[in-house]
Amino acid sequence: MYRINTNDFNLDHTLSCGQVFRWEKNDCWTGIVNGAIIRAKQEGAELIIDSSLDEKVIQDYFRLDDDMEKIYTSINRDEKIAPLLWKYRGLRLIRQDPWECLVSYICSKANNIPKIKNSIKHICECFGNEIETGYYTFPSPDVLAEVKPNEMKQQCRVGFRAPDILNIADMIVNHEFDLYGIKDLSYREGRKELMKIKGVGSKIADCVLLFAFDKLESFPVDTHIMQIMNRFYGENFKGPKSKKKEEIAEFAREYFGKYCGYAQEYLFLEDFG
DNA sequence: CTCCAGGCTTACG
DNA sequence: CGTAAGCATGGA
């Protein structure tokens, strides 16, 4: 048990804004990171951690080294977003594991948050390791590569998404796809690579780049972001419906700049929460 | 019962 | 090029 001093950090906003799916809140927040359990709560500016993981891992996971003052200044472009930066102040991006992140967002296709959480929970309970009663690790690609589509479909309730998950697990195991190598690519190159995966398009690719590969210039556009971007900046998008999402993403990258991924989180929470 | 939810692929004008 | 059905699943 140890304490970490923070500033511009809000644990509740960070864990309940929809970027991660496995954390649960009771008297404290409980989650599994790097195969270990973290129990966390916040008292004022202090983050109280109960975990076998050391402070450095926590710092890295919650991105506590991000200079929020600088980031807020950078993305605070107008009177539309300014109040959101105050309202949800302390919301941080989380540095997720790429594999868990990728599978999670494949599960998010044509789905809702409770069902996404449920699917991921099933995947862990069926195929992960139980590290403490009721708490499971996220299964590695090696494990999922051995699973049959119907087995996953029936046990994890992932529906038509099962073949895509198993396919990319298999490709990673056979070195046909270098997922972890994407961290060394640029945003554009990484995006192109991720979109080669069957069942992964621009939105999922952008989520993985933002949440797992440090590409803060990524701006995932889903239905919620569509809503609020149309409401706030609609006059800037004139193209046909089919190209609108890409148009919005391009606009946002230009408009909010290199930290636009952070802007995306605050905008998302405003429409989602 | 029908409709829809953090999309993507494929099929058809 | 452009739009739209279909894909499983469960809750409203």
Side-chain angles (χ1 to χ4, degrees), chain A residues 68-115:
Chain A
M68 296 311 291
E69 210 48 58
K70 185 168 129 196
I71 290 168
Y72 286 140
T73 303
S74 172
I75 63 178
N76 188 8
R77 307 296 306 188
D78 56 43
E79 71 286 356
K80 300 279 179 54
I81 193 165
L84 305 187
L85 301 182
W86 283 108
K87 189 172 176 184
Y88 305 118
R89 198 163 189 88
L91 165 59
R92 303 254 177 167
L93 285 165
I94 281 175
R95 195 173 273 120
Q96 303 185 32
D97 171 72
W99 169 243
E100 178 171 343
C101 184
L102 175 61
V103 174
S104 298
Y105 282 91
I106 289 176
C107 289
S108 78
K109 286 197 291 185
N111 215 341
N112 53 43
I113 297 275
K115 273 188 77 228

Side-chain angles (χ1 to χ4, degrees), chain A residues 143-247:
Chain A
V143 173
L144 292 190
E146 300 300 319
V147 177
K148 299 280 171 289
N150 275 340
E151 193 184 351
M152 162 149 290
K153 199 192 272 190
Q154 286 160 18
Q155 296 185 37
C156 305
R157 322 305 296 159
V158 293
F160 63 88
R161 307 160 192 88
D164 290 339
I165 296 169
L166 303 183
N167 173 59
I168 183 58
D170 193 59
M171 286 183 72
I172 291 171
V173 170
N174 294 323
H175 304 287
E176 292 163 31
F177 192 88
D178 181 15
L179 179 63
Y180 291 85
I182 287 177
K183 74 174 191 302
D184 299 320
L185 302 180
S186 69
Y187 165 66
R188 295 282 176 189
E189 290 172 323
R191 194 177 203 237
K192 201 182 298 178
E193 278 306 301
L194 285 166
M195 287 176 69
K196 288 179 184 168
I197 301 170
K198 196 165 171 48
V200 173
S202 57
K203 191 270 173 176
I204 296 178
D206 278 338
C207 284
V208 176
L209 289 163
L210 178 61
F211 299 136
F213 287 122
D214 271 321
K215 309 301 183 200
L216 302 187
E217 70 269 47
S218 175
F219 192 91
V221 178
D222 54 38
T223 52
H224 294 286
I225 291 294
M226 275 273 270
Q227 285 291 327
I228 195 155
M229 289 298 283
N230 274 326
R231 190 144 58 85
F232 280 7
Y233 311 108
E235 66 278 7
N236 296 288
F237 324 124
K238 299 292 183 201
K241 200 170 160 190
S242 56
K243 285 190 175 170
K244 192 137 288 187
K245 284 189 167 186
E246 204 59 38
E247 209 179 330

Side-chain angles (χ1 to χ4, degrees), chain A residues 126-141:
Chain A
C126 289
F127 305 113
N129 299 319
E130 189 170 32
I131 49 177
E132 193 179 292
T133 309
Y135 292 100
Y136 297 79
T137 59
F138 193 90
S140 65

